[in-house]
């Protein structure tokens, strides 16, 4: 199994076995979409299968640009929908809640660190940098950089504290690539 798919599966279920894969693949359309996206990033026959699956699922709720750089352990809550620009870069163990948009009008999109929880209805605009171990509260609009270990909320998002950020990241995928 592709290591990225395995890490995503672990984030959803806490397991990496074939039975867990089949169950979550059949039940969760966001996970199915992620599998297609991950296979598109691979090589050979896996990439061809991924392109076919991606084409079949492209009319679904989730839209992730094929050139987006996404680390291990992506989790999309409540099946999305989410929209991620092809220019975006997401680290490892990122949680995206429903109705999240990561986009850009002029060039580069956001760079998001590791172990980041993004709440429902969040818009992240342009080339902001969101640090590691960050929580972005529901309904926030992020237009400026957010430092490591912060919790930010509001429209426009402001840091409100540095207490226990990233606490909603469950089943973290551990890798030496962090």
């Amino acid at each position: 199994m592709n290591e990225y798919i395995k890490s995503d599966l672990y984030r959803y279920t806490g397991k990496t076995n074939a039975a867990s894969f089949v169950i979550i693949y059949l039940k969760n359309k966001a996970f199915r979409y992620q599998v297609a996206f991950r296979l598109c990033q691979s090589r050979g026959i896996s990439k061809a299968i991924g392109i076919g699956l991606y084409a079949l699922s492209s009319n679904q709720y989730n839209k992730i640009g094929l050139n987006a750089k996404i680390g291990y352990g992506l989790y999309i809550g409540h099946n999305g929908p989410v929209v991620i620009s092809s220019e975006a870069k997401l680290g490892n163990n990122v949680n995206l809640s429903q109705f999240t948009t990561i986009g850009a009008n002029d060039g580069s999109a956001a760079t998001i660190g590791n172990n980041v929880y993004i709440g429902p209805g969040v818009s992240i605009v342009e080339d902001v940098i969101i640090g590691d171990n960050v929580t972005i509260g529901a309904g926030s609009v992020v237009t400026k950089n957010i430092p490591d270990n912060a919790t930010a909320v509001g429209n426009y998002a402001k840091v409100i504290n540095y207490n226990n950020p990233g606490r909603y990241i469950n089943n973290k995928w551990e890798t030496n690539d962090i």
Side-chain angles (χ1 to χ4, degrees), residues 1-169:
M1 185 183 313
N2 176 309
E3 193 73 8
Y4 286 101
I5 294 170
K6 192 175 182 181
S7 69
D8 294 347
L9 175 64
Y10 187 76
R11 292 295 318 286
Y12 280 87
T13 66
K15 303 172 188 169
T16 59
N17 59 41
S20 295
F21 176 83
V22 170
I23 290 167
I24 199 76
Y25 188 85
L26 293 174
K27 285 179 143 181
N28 190 305
K29 64 184 168 190
F31 183 74
R32 282 193 301 272
Y33 186 81
Q34 284 176 241
V35 168
F37 172 78
R38 297 297 197 180
L39 289 174
C40 285
Q41 305 298 310
S42 60
R43 295 190 173 122
I45 191 73
S46 294
K47 183 171 187 154
I49 292 168
I51 290 169
L53 291 173
Y54 189 85
L56 289 172
S57 63
S58 66
N59 62 354
Q60 299 296 322
Y61 297 108
N62 299 304
K63 301 289 182 196
I64 301 175
L66 283 176
N67 291 325
K69 306 289 186 235
I70 299 177
Y72 295 98
L74 177 65
Y75 178 87
I76 299 174
H78 303 288
N79 284 317
V82 299
V83 176
I84 303 173
S85 168
S86 286
E87 304 298 319
K89 298 176 194 87
L90 282 67
N92 299 327
N93 299 314
V94 172
N95 274 42
L96 301 176
S97 298
Q98 66 274 22
F99 303 106
T100 295
T101 300
I102 302 169
N105 293 317
D106 299 320
S108 297
T111 299
I112 298 172
N114 300 315
N115 306 315
V116 173
Y117 173 85
I118 300 172
V122 171
S123 294
I124 301 172
V125 185
E126 301 303 335
D127 61 347
V128 298
I129 297 171
I130 296 174
D132 295 337
N133 307 309
V134 168
T135 298
I136 307 292
S140 297
V141 177
V142 181
T143 59
K144 297 192 184 320
N145 296 347
I146 306 294
D148 291 350
N149 304 309
T151 297
V153 299
N155 183 357
Y156 298 99
K158 293 182 178 129
V159 174
I160 60 166
N161 67 51
Y162 293 91
N163 302 332
N164 202 16
R167 68 181 174 268
Y168 299 113
I169 306 296

